[in-house]
Amino acid sequence: MPFIILLTSLFFLFVSNLTAQDANSGKTLAEEFSKLDSYLRNRTLTAEQKKKILEGNLLSSIRMTLGHKLENPKKDLKDLKMQDVQSERFSNSNQFFVKYKSYYISYIFPVDPEIYQTSPYEERILEKPEGADLLGAHTEDKK
């Protein structure tokens, strides 16, 4: 019996020693994060890769935004595709204007949405009323 206890104790001592060595010899998560961030920041993306990342970010943002606005978002946004969306980047910034059906949305992203998977930190949504003439002159009757 004492032999089994001694053998078990030595086994646990050996395993704990190996685990401690692995933990001390490895990099910290902060170091790994920094190296990965540097790699992602300095990699060269093709135009197709940038387009795919941007479209994914915009579609995800639209689903999130309209998910709060629509009565049945799963049904209404089920077939949402980039072909149904008009988008425009505002003068080399991280601000995008998006039109989907009668919704006009302004998004501001914290980082370049063509490079990183991200969500907007600011959004503004407007819904165009039926029959509204955006091209006509706007006049108000002042009395």
Side-chain angles (χ1 to χ4, degrees):
M1 183 74 164
F3 179 71
I4 294 174
I5 294 173
L6 179 63
L7 189 61
T8 307
S9 299
L10 287 173
F11 175 75
F12 284 119
L13 183 63
F14 178 72
V15 170
S16 65
N17 189 26
L18 284 178
T19 307
Q21 287 176 354
D22 288 344
N24 291 333
S25 66
K27 296 177 180 145
T28 66
L29 286 176
E31 290 172 333
E32 289 182 42
F33 182 89
S34 296
K35 288 189 181 213
L36 178 58
D37 184 47
S38 177
Y39 168 79
L40 293 174
R41 189 181 311 239
N42 295 319
R43 69 183 171 160
T44 304
L45 296 172
T46 65
E48 185 62 33
Q49 289 172 318
K50 286 183 176 183
K51 179 181 175 188
K52 185 177 178 181
I53 294 170
L54 176 62
E55 288 177 356
N57 284 327
L58 289 177
L59 291 176
S60 174
S61 299
I62 292 168
R63 283 189 185 96
M64 189 172 61
T65 300
L66 294 181
H68 302 290
K69 187 105 171 130
L70 301 172
E71 287 182 34
N72 191 353
K74 285 191 177 190
K75 179 184 171 200
D76 295 338
L77 299 173
K78 180 181 174 187
D79 297 325
L80 176 65
K81 296 181 183 102
M82 202 59 200
Q83 297 89 318
D84 304 328
V85 175
Q86 292 177 346
S87 66
E88 178 181 308
R89 188 175 204 156
F90 183 69
S91 67
N92 294 326
S93 68
N94 290 335
Q95 183 174 15
F96 284 79
F97 294 96
V98 176
K99 179 184 176 191
Y100 175 68
K101 295 187 177 182
S102 63
Y103 298 100
Y104 292 78
I105 309 168
S106 168
Y107 289 118
I108 300 177
F109 293 93
V111 293
D112 189 348
E114 288 185 326
I115 297 174
Y116 299 99
Q117 290 181 350
T118 184
S119 296
Y121 70 87
E122 186 175 318
E123 65 182 41
R124 184 164 179 221
I125 181 169
L126 304 172
E127 185 174 5
K128 181 181 172 185
E130 205 170 306
D133 181 16
L134 299 179
L135 299 176
H138 179 72
T139 59
E140 291 184 22
D141 292 336
K142 295 183 181 179
K143 293 183 180 183

